[in-house]
C-alpha cells in the first residue's frame, strides 16, 4: 500500500501522527488496512464463522466462546482487532460513517451526526468482559 510506504519514509517508525495524516491522504487505503483484523478473522474461522463485514457477523461474534480470555497476551490484540472490525462494519453499512483518527493516533468512527465512537476501546472492553456486545454498539451507531 502506497500510503504505508509514504508513512515510513516520513515517520520512521510510523507513529500516531502518520495514521492521522494517512486517513486524510488515503482514506480508502486506511479503511482496507483497518479491515484486515487478521487475528480476529483467524479465530472466527477456527470457530467456523466467516466474517463478511455485516452486522449479522457482529452478532455471531458476540456468541463465540471467549477462549482468548485464557491468553493474556492475545486478549489485547484480539480486542484491538474486534474494535477495528466493528468500525469496519459501521463504516461499510451506516450511511455517512467514516474513519477518523484522533491526533494521538487512536482510530475512531465518525458518524454523520458528528458523534465519534472509540471502536478500539469498545473492542478491547468486549474482548475482556463481553460487554457491551459488538452488535449493541453497532445498533446504537446505526440509530444515531
Amino acid at each position: 500500500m502506497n500510503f504505508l510506504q509514504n508513512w515510513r519514509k516520513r515517520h520512521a517508525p510510523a507513529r500516531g501522527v502518520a495514521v492521522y495524516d494517512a486517513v486524510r491522504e488515503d482514506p480508502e487505503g486506511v479503511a482496507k488496512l483497518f479491515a484486515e483484523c487478521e487475528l480476529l478473522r483467524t479465530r472466527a474461522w477456527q470457530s467456523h464463522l466467516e466474517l463478511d463485514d455485516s452486522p449479522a457477523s457482529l452478532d455471531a461474534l458476540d456468541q463465540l466462546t471467549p477462549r482468548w480470555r485464557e491468553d493474556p497476551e492475545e486478549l489485547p490484540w484480539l480486542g484491538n482487532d474486534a474494535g477495528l472490525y466493528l468500525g469496519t462494519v459501521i463504516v461499510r453499512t451506516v450511511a455517512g460513517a467514516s474513519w477518523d483518527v484522533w491526533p494521538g493516533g487512536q482510530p475512531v468512527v465518525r458518524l454523520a451526526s458528528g458523534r465519534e465512537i472509540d471502536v478500539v476501546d469498545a473492542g478491547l472492553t468486549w474482548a475482556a468482559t463481553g460487554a457491551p456486545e459488538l452488535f449493541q454498539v453497532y445498533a446504537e451507531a446505526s440509530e444515531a
Side-chain angles (χ1 to χ4, degrees), residues 30-92:
V30 170
K32 285 181 184 179
L33 181 67
F34 288 166
E36 286 181 5
C37 313
E38 186 176 345
L39 178 61
L40 180 70
R41 289 181 188 276
T42 298
R43 294 295 174 259
W45 180 82
Q46 290 170 341
S47 296
H48 309 288
L49 172 61
E50 184 175 343
L51 300 182
D52 61 2
D53 301 345
S54 71
S57 66
L58 294 172
D59 191 37
L61 279 171
D62 287 333
Q63 307 309 313
L64 289 180
T65 302
R67 291 187 175 90
W68 55 84
R69 290 187 194 143
E70 298 167 6
D71 185 347
E73 290 185 26
E74 183 173 300
L75 190 141
W77 293 101
L78 189 117
N80 187 74
D81 275 9
L84 293 176
Y85 184 72
L86 169 63
T88 295
V89 174
I90 294 170
V91 167
R92 290 184 178 173

Side-chain angles (χ1 to χ4, degrees), residues 27 31 86-100 108-115 117 119 138 141-142 144:
L86 169 63
T88 295
V89 174
I90 294 170
V91 167
R92 290 184 178 173
T93 61
V94 175
S98 62
W99 282 108
D100 201 358
V108 296
V109 170
R110 181 183 301 273
L111 302 176
S113 67
R115 178 177 163 221
I117 302 171
V119 291
Y138 170 82
S142 67

